[in-house]
Amino acid sequence: MTDPIPPEFTELDAVPHEIWMKKAIDQAIEAFDHQEVPVGCVIVHRDKVIAAAWNQREMLQDPTAHAEMIAITQAAETLGTWRLLECRLYVTLEPCPMCAGAIVQARIPHVIYGTSDPKGGACDTLYRITSDARLNHQCTVIGGIMQDDSRALLQEFFRQQRALGKK
């Protein structure tokens, strides 16, 4: 059986992906606690978290306030550049088309996500924006890191929302 993680990931990482994904899950829990769809994201640069965010669409009444978008803005501010080279983006849910496009525009080379999104996934499930050779940048993508934890948060959130007659 071959290793599902490409060699460039194992060489980059002094810390296992699960450690960083746990930090993204902590952000998703923050979203859950604020009645937001529980998606969390962290961006890591040279084994240091430089951005951490959770969905804030309801709180900000902003359709673009996805965890990834907020984290990308934070990371660009931290590094002082829009080119997020040498970064890895960890997110609990597969990025949507908007976020996948922002990831490509930011030149983020590595995307690691928890659970796939059958209704909006743009890295593997519905679209492959992050690996489309027609675009000026492609990312290495790994899905399924701490998938069960990421999925369970989303399922519980939507179970509660249905019980309240929402969403």
Side-chain angles (χ1 to χ4, degrees), residues 3-165:
D3 183 3
I5 299 173
E8 66 268 21
F9 270 89
T10 55
E11 291 168 10
L12 275 178
D13 294 326
V15 179
H17 293 305
E18 290 77 13
I19 300 297
W20 304 119
M21 187 60 74
K22 173 66 173 104
K23 293 182 182 305
I25 289 171
D26 290 344
Q27 292 295 307
I29 291 168
E30 189 73 25
F32 189 104
D33 291 345
H34 285 86
Q35 283 77 56
E36 296 277 357
V37 175
V39 176
C41 179
V42 298
I43 297 179
V44 176
H45 179 259
R46 298 182 182 166
D47 284 327
K48 179 182 176 195
V49 173
I50 61 166
W54 43 276
N55 271 5
Q56 297 177 41
R57 291 192 319 172
E58 297 297 333
M59 184 171 68
L60 299 176
Q61 289 300 295
D62 179 354
T64 69
H66 288 201
E68 300 96 309
M69 300 295 283
I70 295 167
I72 288 169
T73 298
Q74 289 174 358
E77 288 174 8
T78 298
L79 295 178
T81 181
W82 60 269
R83 291 177 185 89
L84 302 182
L85 306 173
E86 299 181 43
C87 289
R88 287 168 281 138
L89 183 143
Y90 290 84
V91 63
T92 57
L93 180 65
E94 179 183 1
C96 72
M98 173 183 67
C99 294
I103 289 164
V104 168
Q105 291 299 314
R107 311 296 196 267
I108 297 171
H110 307 289
V111 176
I112 302 92
Y113 67 86
T115 192
S116 61
D117 183 354
K119 294 184 178 182
C123 292
D124 288 322
T125 307
L126 294 178
Y127 307 102
R128 295 182 183 271
I129 292 171
T130 51
S131 61
D132 191 325
R134 295 171 295 177
L135 299 174
N136 63 335
H137 174 75
Q138 293 82 44
C139 310
T140 301
V141 176
I142 295 177
I145 303 296
M146 297 187 72
Q147 176 176 310
D148 293 341
D149 295 328
S150 297
R151 185 183 306 134
L153 261 176
L154 288 160
Q155 288 174 334
E156 179 57 21
F157 175 79
F158 286 112
R159 186 195 66 73
Q160 287 182 17
Q161 293 297 301
R162 285 189 297 277
L164 295 170

